Amino acid sequence: MKKIIAVLVLVLMAALWQQGSLTFWRPVSASETDVGLLNHSLTATGAQPTRAIFNGWAPLSRASEPKEMQVIVGSIASELGLNPAIHEITLRSTGDYSYAVLEHEDETKWLRIQVQYVNNQSYASIDIRQKDQHNIEQVYQKLSDALETVKLSDGSVIITACLEGTLNARLREGEKLDLLYNAFNAADASYLKGTEIGGLTVWSGYSPRFAFSAGGGEANLSLSLSYDDAIRQTVVRVATPVLPGSY
């Protein structure tokens, strides 16, 4: 399932980039990172921090052979502090679609590095699911730096970031709106739209302080709320520019 989700996220990011729907610019304040802004938003909701999810993507020069991809995956792994010599890199090629992938899991995180060749284009992606929110700004920076080392010279590194937390309550509608206001206000974001499907409430907004934007520059902050009966808590997620594809 994780592999399917990762492929879907990559395809979505590639499609948005090719259509010009995913744009990039520098934050207004160079001292405030996207992760720092998300942290302000999550803190403003009053949620107890739990985990963090990062998905990074970058276009590559043409690399269609698995062995070429293996070298790139190894290079990215080294940038992230992993030893590629002691990690298995899985290779596969079907002609039109090829990939090399390395997975790693320890007590703090699950990580996947993947290089893919699909539709005559090559991409590198990094997926990190951190089990807590310790050192998240350093993790975000390492991910960005690793992709910068392998991307096309005229390509852009694109990263989605999501922070998750929980509240010990089932929220009423008025409480949800208060939470929305607090989260968006903390990031200087304006409200764009919202929807509710099957108990999952999602709002999107825009702040000039985030580096990335989806939908032609219209949205770069997402907030979702869902009540988990198993743990009897409301799960709060804040993300930029969009929520990860697993939700």
Side-chain angles (χ1 to χ4, degrees), residues 175-214:
E175 293 171 323
K176 291 180 181 180
L177 293 177
D178 287 342
L179 189 147
L180 167 66
Y181 173 81
N182 291 337
F184 277 37
N185 188 55
D188 295 331
S190 55
Y191 170 80
L192 294 176
K193 61 181 179 180
T195 185
E196 184 166 358
I197 303 175
L200 175 67
T201 304
V202 180
W203 292 288
S204 62
Y206 169 79
S207 170
R209 300 175 66 188
F210 284 109
F212 300 101
S213 179

Side-chain angles (χ1 to χ4, degrees), residues 17-164:
W17 177 70
Q18 290 173 339
Q19 296 170 8
S21 306
L22 194 56
T23 56
F24 169 80
W25 62 89
R26 291 294 177 189
V28 172
S29 172
S31 62
E32 186 74 88
T33 66
D34 281 7
V35 175
L37 285 173
L38 282 184
N39 188 47
H40 291 329
S41 289
L42 184 64
T43 300
T45 68
Q48 179 66 33
T50 52
R51 62 175 181 160
I53 300 172
F54 303 107
N55 306 115
W57 172 89
L60 305 174
S61 298
R62 181 184 173 91
S64 58
E65 296 299 322
K67 289 296 183 181
E68 296 177 276
M69 298 178 181
Q70 183 178 25
V71 172
I72 297 172
V73 168
S75 174
I76 294 173
S78 296
E79 289 290 329
L80 294 175
L82 300 178
N83 182 357
I86 63 173
H87 287 80
E88 179 182 2
I89 300 177
T90 302
L91 307 177
R92 183 179 179 184
S93 177
T94 61
D96 294 331
Y97 175 64
S98 304
Y99 69 80
V101 61
L102 178 154
E103 292 190 1
H104 167 82
E105 187 169 9
D106 56 37
E107 64 277 5
T108 64
K109 66 183 175 298
W110 172 86
L111 177 150
R112 177 195 287 120
I113 303 166
Q114 187 165 243
V115 172
Q116 296 187 72
Y117 173 76
V118 59
N119 296 330
N120 295 316
Q121 291 187 317
S122 301
Y123 309 96
S125 63
I126 302 173
D127 302 310
I128 299 175
R129 296 175 182 269
Q130 190 158 303
K131 299 172 184 178
D132 55 38
Q133 293 182 16
H134 295 151
N135 302 317
I136 52 176
E137 296 205 40
Q138 291 91 328
V139 172
Y140 182 92
Q141 190 61 53
K142 277 189 175 183
L143 186 156
S144 177
D145 291 345
L147 289 175
E148 285 285 349
T149 65
V150 299
K151 72 175 179 65
L152 278 171
S153 58
D154 60 346
S156 295
V157 171
I158 298 169
I159 301 174
T160 65
C162 176
L163 302 183
E164 184 177 295

